[in-house]
Amino acid sequence: MENRMVTIQPFLPSARDATDLSFVFSGGDIDFMLGLALIERVACDAATLRYKMTLGRMVNFGVPLDVLRKQFHHDHRTLRNWARGMTSRDPDEMARIFGGRGAPGKACDALRVYVRRRWDELAGSCRDFRQRLAAEVKQYFDVELSGEWLRQLHLDGGAAVVVKEEPPQRGPAEMDAEPEPQAIPSVIPAPATEPSPVDASSSPVLSASELMAAAPLPMALTRASGCSSDEIASSGMTTSSNRSPELPMRAAPPLGSRPVGAVPELSHHVGQVLFAPFLAQALPGDPIVAAASRRWLGQTLQGAVNVEQTKNLCLDDLARFTGVPGLCHRGQREEIWALARSPVDVPLALLAANARIVRHGPLDDDVFYYDPHSKEYTGEAPLPKGWCGRIHGVAKVIHLDCLHTRDGDPCFVQHFDNYLDLRDRVVLVLERFSELFPLERRRGRTLVIDRGIYGADAFDNVLRRGDHIVTWEKGYARDGWRDDAPAAWFSFIRHRNDTGDLLTYQVELQEAPWRRDPRFRRIVVRAANPDNVVADLAILCSDKGMSAVEAVLLMLTRWLQENDFKYLDRHFGFMQIITYAMECYARLDPPPPDRPADSVEFRKLAIQARKQRGNLQKKLLDRENAEDALRRARADATDAGRQEAVLNQQLDTRRRQDPVSAGQPDQLKLRHLEALEDQVMQARRRQAKARRGITKLEVRLAALASQISEAKTECDRLRNMLDLVIRDDSRLRLLIQAECQRPDLRPKAVMDCFKITARNIFIRLLELYRQHYDNRRDDHVILRQLTRSSGVLRLANGQLVIGLWHCAELPPST
């Protein structure tokens, strides 16, 4: 053998706490030395696995990264990655790390397909769709991807995936203990095309039959809903992933199933399942509008009555029970505007669906309460002003003309500014409201309305359509009751806090034709409350087929509608303004129907004439008061003169009868004489004061006579000018000239229809709850907490078990 001299040169130091370990360079090789013993020799070839593993050991031994980077020219991230691969227990992970850039990644085919499809679904619906997609990938595939790599996967079909961080590993015991997850069945049928992958933000929904099987509800549920449980279960609407040609907005994607196994899973908004049967009934036929209804009804029933309040909800969990994915704030606003601008009449479609869940609604009754609900607008836009009943004054207002059923359930709403009066709006409202009825029942409705419609023209417009009116007689002087005429009597009962807490009202009535208009009956009523306080009223009714008792009951129970306005405002945000977008009257297309109005010149002259008449009335009143004061002053002066004469006579008589000696004065007589002299002086001063007042009042009356003459002349002049000026003008032209605007109420119309439907869904469930909890003091509060509570989901024996977590502390009886 040939002997060779090998030069051994210490190469790299090891960590401080391992002084016996060292790496030396020997002829192009790396030797791992333990003391003087050679443990391993590795060739300096960057393509070999042993070389990479050796550099990984160096990092783990504590060799500084800067030294290794300068010596071997590798990036410090690559060195750390090799070091992590040496400590990994996962063979696949080690193969990926040491395999280099050509190593197979963890982006399986399912992940690539999921990223491509889910990117298209989320893009445009929210601003943080990349973060949401990365979170979903992390949750379902245990792979953490950056937003840039998600974009590349979407563009090139998933050619490469870079893993940012090692996912947490589970031990064998944990993996063995976890059962195989199962999926919750969805209420939305699978589409004909290939379904989308699992979506964390669009979880499945339970159908009514599955809900009853998992968490049984009272059988009264189907009876109150007006359909069987099978009908409720079959009423779920199918969503579509295609765009509607009539509605420019993205449809809800087909839903996947979030796995739920035997291990209990916590979830928010589990109480939403209680609304499932009624929610299925209140969906329109259009799939796009139905998907939006699921989203907005779910958010409203969970307490988010506007877009900003959805930050208090967990939209991903709520989507599991509504069937549609949640949207960010921007996506929600875009959806509302898309619904508002749709060629489809979305509000009418929502109200038609709402009619299926209300009692005595357009589908089965013809008697409705009609009342406008006024909202004061406090913005800077120049809106037309009108009377606002909420503040009892004139302000910029928005009117919500609402119709309620005889049970107090809202079934229709239409929005106006103050351009049209209530007497003009009622015909427009009836024309639109009639579209909710079948063709054969679009006439003959009876409106129970307040005094705001009182007027011959308004009565004629309603009666000409074939409808009827029940209202109060305006200006009733309580003189219509006749003791010699026959009277009918009845009583009715109203519940207070429970079914046993009753209030009884006694009612007497007399009926006769109304002398002003024979088309109406006049019903004079004397109603006594439980405290025996009697109210004298007069009611007008044009419906010949309605009994007088029914007409009186409808008017006396109008508080149902008034109370519901307050209920809608407090719990559903009915009076909130959705948008502050405005429309100028000059650019309305088509323009609103014009109506006559007083011209600007006539109104200015009328204001001047009214002020001048008020000034004249004030001067006339001042003259009357001055004349009365003058008469009193003259009478006072005369009375003071007579009193002075009498006192002077008494003083002279006293002095003659009782002369006082200058040497020895009588003190008692002296005091009497002094008292008489004081009285004389007082009478003289009073007479002088009265004469001065007479002089001033005479001067005042002379000035008032001149002022009154001038005021009369000015009033006559203004009256003559009012007769000559043109009075009638176009109200639309005047508003355009004043640059007035009107609010764009289309988004609010859509939102208010959602809120009305949500209110009726909650009330239907409340009716069932009252069968078991007969206490109206707090049943709303308890049920509201129950429907907004979180809960636990788990599978047991093939059935989904739902447990609600009611966080409030209640008495055992409750």
Side-chain angles (χ1 to χ4, degrees):
M1 294 182 61
E2 181 180 359
N3 295 329
R4 294 182 179 179
M5 291 292 296
V6 179
T7 302
I8 299 178
Q9 177 183 1
F11 176 43
L12 294 175
S14 60
R16 296 180 180 179
D17 54 352
T19 56
D20 293 337
L21 298 177
S22 61
F23 296 90
V24 297
F25 180 77
S26 175
D29 295 333
I30 301 175
D31 293 342
F32 173 34
M33 306 293 297
L34 179 58
L36 296 178
L38 178 63
I39 303 301
E40 186 179 12
R41 176 170 293 167
V42 179
C44 293
D45 186 0
T48 62
L49 175 61
R50 294 182 61 191
Y51 171 82
K52 299 176 183 178
M53 297 176 68
T54 300
L55 292 186
R57 291 190 186 97
M58 291 183 183
V59 177
N60 292 333
F61 279 138
V63 178
L65 288 175
D66 292 341
V67 176
L68 293 176
R69 183 173 56 83
K70 292 179 181 179
Q71 182 65 34
F72 297 100
H73 308 289
H74 296 297
D75 189 83
H76 64 277
R77 291 173 294 184
T78 303
L79 296 172
R80 285 200 189 99
N81 213 23
W82 289 344
R84 186 164 53 87
M86 292 302 298
T87 59
S88 175
R89 295 183 297 177
D90 188 356
D92 295 334
E93 179 70 8
M94 294 180 65
R96 186 192 63 80
I97 291 176
F98 293 110
R101 295 187 177 181
K106 285 193 173 181
C108 58
D109 294 338
L111 188 146
R112 295 187 180 93
V113 173
Y114 179 80
V115 169
R116 290 197 301 270
R117 293 187 178 179
R118 190 62 177 145
W119 180 287
D120 294 334
E121 294 168 1
L122 293 178
S125 63
C126 56
R127 290 178 293 181
D128 58 342
F129 68 96
R130 293 192 185 185
Q131 290 82 351
R132 293 185 58 179
L133 181 56
E136 295 172 9
V137 171
K138 175 66 176 177
Q139 180 178 0
Y140 295 110
F141 296 95
D142 281 342
V143 176
E144 186 169 352
L145 303 179
S146 64
E148 177 61 22
W149 276 107
L150 290 173
R151 186 184 67 85
Q152 294 184 14
L153 283 175
H154 171 257
L155 293 177
D156 57 14
V161 176
V162 174
V163 179
K164 295 171 57 178
E165 187 178 355
E166 175 70 13
Q169 301 293 332
R170 293 179 297 178
E174 297 177 354
M175 298 179 63
D176 295 339
E178 183 177 348
E180 181 69 21
Q182 302 184 35
I184 307 177
S186 173
V187 70
I188 301 180
T193 59
E194 183 180 358
S196 297
V198 177
D199 181 6
S201 63
S202 56
S203 303
V205 179
L206 302 176
S207 66
S209 58
E210 294 164 346
L211 172 62
M212 293 179 181
L217 295 176
M219 290 307 298
L221 181 64
T222 57
R223 295 196 297 269
S225 304
C227 60
S228 64
S229 59
D230 295 337
E231 292 171 343
I232 296 176
S234 61
S235 61
M237 305 301 297
T238 304
T239 60
S240 173
S241 60
N242 299 325
R243 290 180 181 266
S244 171
E246 299 178 343
L247 190 60
M249 56 179 293
R250 186 178 297 275
L255 300 179
S257 299
R258 184 186 299 181
V260 172
V263 178
E265 177 185 350
L266 298 176
S267 180
H268 296 286
H269 312 302
V270 179
Q272 180 69 25
V273 299
L274 299 176
F275 298 120
F278 305 109
L279 182 61
Q281 282 185 283
L283 295 178
D286 187 277
I288 302 296
V289 183
S293 298
R294 291 180 180 272
R295 177 181 297 106
W296 289 100
L297 291 177
Q299 294 177 178
T300 304
L301 290 169
Q302 292 302 313
V305 299
N306 54 45
V307 174
E308 287 74 17
Q309 292 181 2
T310 55
K311 65 180 68 173
N312 301 324
L313 304 180
C314 180
L315 299 182
D316 288 345
D317 282 357
L318 181 60
R320 169 174 290 182
F321 307 105
T322 60
V324 289
L327 297 176
C328 62
H329 289 181
R330 180 179 178 182
Q332 294 179 39
R333 293 188 179 93
E334 291 176 352
E335 183 179 48
I336 285 296
W337 274 106
L339 293 173
R341 296 167 177 168
S342 170
V344 179
D345 196 342
V346 175
L348 195 65
L350 297 176
L351 293 173
N354 173 73
R356 296 196 290 266
I357 62 173
V358 298
R359 302 162 295 178
H360 302 98
L363 300 181
D364 52 3
D365 199 5
D366 294 316
V367 178
F368 301 94
Y369 291 109
Y370 183 105
D371 196 21
H373 198 39
S374 299
K375 160 71 176 177
E376 180 188 6
Y377 173 79
T378 58
E380 298 181 353
L383 268 66
K385 293 185 178 181
W387 178 261
C388 182
R390 295 170 63 91
I391 63 173
H392 301 284
V394 177
K396 295 182 285 188
V397 293
I398 297 173
H399 297 297
L400 286 73
D401 288 8
C402 298
L403 286 161
H404 285 66
T405 67
R406 65 173 68 217
D407 297 314
D409 295 334
C411 58
F412 184 83
V413 62
Q414 191 168 356
H415 302 71
F416 299 92
D417 64 347
N418 200 54
Y419 181 78
L420 297 176
D421 187 72
L422 173 63
R423 299 178 182 88
D424 302 320
R425 301 196 307 262
V426 63
V427 178
L428 301 177
V429 172
L430 288 177
E431 290 291 343
R432 183 170 174 80
F433 183 53
S434 63
E435 299 182 24
L436 299 178
F437 291 77
L439 290 175
E440 65 276 5
R441 292 182 54 243
R442 295 190 175 181
R443 292 291 186 272
R445 292 182 299 272
T446 301
L447 299 182
V448 183
I449 193 169
D450 205 352
R451 296 180 181 90
I453 197 177
Y454 194 92
D457 295 339
F459 289 165
D460 291 338
N461 293 334
V462 175
L463 298 181
R464 194 180 302 114
R465 295 190 72 261
D467 297 328
H468 304 288
I469 296 175
V470 178
T471 185
W472 304 107
E473 182 182 1
K474 193 173 183 179
Y476 176 62
R478 300 183 180 181
D479 56 353
W481 188 268
R482 297 176 52 191
D483 295 331
D484 56 345
W489 174 90
F490 72 96
S491 63
F492 68 94
I493 296 175
R494 184 171 69 88
H495 295 282
R496 291 185 65 193
N497 294 324
D498 53 60
T499 55
D501 190 0
L502 305 176
L503 294 177
T504 303
Y505 295 81
Q506 310 292 337
V507 181
E508 291 182 286
L509 61 91
Q510 291 178 344
E511 181 180 0
W514 193 30
R515 291 179 297 177
R516 298 183 182 179
D517 192 340
R519 296 175 296 179
F520 285 85
R521 293 178 292 163
R522 187 193 194 198
I523 306 173
V524 181
V525 179
R526 284 184 174 179
N529 63 7
D531 296 331
N532 203 26
V533 177
V534 180
D536 195 353
L537 311 167
I539 298 173
L540 304 178
C541 178
S542 65
D543 190 354
K544 304 299 181 182
M546 178 180 291
S547 65
V549 174
E550 184 180 3
V552 172
L553 280 175
L554 288 172
M555 290 303 300
L556 294 182
T557 55
R558 284 194 70 252
W559 55 268
L560 287 172
Q561 186 179 28
E562 301 296 337
N563 290 353
D564 187 66
F565 283 142
K566 185 176 181 180
Y567 184 79
L568 285 169
D569 295 348
R570 176 179 297 179
H571 299 292
F572 295 94
F574 195 59
M575 297 303 293
Q576 295 183 6
I577 296 179
I578 306 303
T579 176
Y580 287 92
M582 293 292 166
E583 300 174 309
C584 294
Y585 277 95
R587 293 194 293 269
L588 293 181
D589 187 21
D594 201 359
R595 51 180 299 193
D598 294 338
S599 64
V600 177
E601 295 80 7
F602 181 86
R603 282 187 293 174
K604 289 181 179 179
L605 290 174
I607 293 174
Q608 294 179 8
R610 185 166 57 252
K611 290 182 178 179
Q612 194 62 38
R613 284 196 301 269
N615 182 39
L616 176 61
Q617 293 171 359
K618 183 177 181 299
K619 298 299 181 183
L620 293 173
L621 180 60
D622 290 344
R623 186 184 67 177
E624 293 294 331
N625 293 335
E627 290 177 350
D628 293 341
L630 180 61
R631 284 192 294 268
R632 290 193 299 269
R634 288 173 176 172
D636 192 16
T638 303
D639 184 66
R642 285 197 302 266
Q643 186 180 6
E644 181 185 2
V646 172
L647 290 173
N648 283 329
Q649 185 179 2
Q650 291 178 0
L651 183 60
D652 292 341
T653 304
R654 180 66 59 89
R655 287 175 178 172
R656 288 193 304 268
Q657 293 177 356
D658 300 321
V660 180
S661 176
Q664 297 178 350
D666 189 342
Q667 297 296 329
L668 179 61
K669 293 180 179 180
L670 183 59
R671 285 196 298 270
H672 288 170
L673 290 174
E674 291 176 351
L676 285 174
E677 291 175 353
D678 291 341
Q679 292 178 8
V680 171
M681 293 302 296
Q682 291 178 4
R684 192 173 299 164
R685 285 193 294 268
R686 196 180 75 172
Q687 185 180 17
K689 181 179 179 180
R691 288 176 178 174
R692 289 194 301 271
I694 291 172
T695 303
K696 292 181 180 180
L697 288 172
E698 288 176 348
V699 174
R700 173 66 174 163
L701 284 173
L704 285 174
S706 175
Q707 295 174 4
I708 289 173
S709 177
E710 294 177 359
K712 286 183 177 179
T713 303
E714 183 66 17
C715 285
D716 294 339
R717 185 184 70 85
L718 293 174
R719 187 181 303 110
N720 294 332
M721 292 182 65
L722 284 175
D723 295 337
L724 297 176
V725 74
I726 298 177
R727 178 172 182 175
D728 293 335
D729 201 345
S730 168
R731 176 171 173 81
L732 183 60
R733 189 187 70 83
L734 294 175
L735 293 177
I736 294 175
Q737 183 178 358
E739 298 182 354
C740 287
Q741 300 176 349
R742 74 176 185 183
D744 191 345
L745 298 172
R746 293 175 296 172
K748 180 171 175 57
V750 175
M751 281 295 297
D752 286 350
C753 291
F754 285 134
K755 294 175 180 179
I756 284 176
T757 305
R759 178 265 181 205
N760 290 326
I761 290 176
F762 184 85
I763 294 300
R764 297 291 82 77
L765 184 63
L766 181 63
E767 293 171 356
L768 302 182
Y769 182 65
R770 282 178 174 172
Q771 299 177 11
H772 307 279
Y773 183 70
D774 189 15
N775 187 347
R776 302 192 180 187
R777 294 183 181 91
D778 56 0
D779 53 0
H780 283 78
V781 178
I782 296 176
L783 183 60
R784 189 173 295 109
Q785 292 176 348
L786 188 65
T787 56
R788 297 178 185 177
S789 60
S790 302
V792 180
L793 306 175
R794 65 183 179 90
L795 285 176
N797 299 325
Q799 293 185 347
L800 178 63
V801 179
I802 302 175
L804 297 180
W805 180 23
H806 194 273
C807 59
E809 294 185 2
L810 301 175
S813 58
T814 304

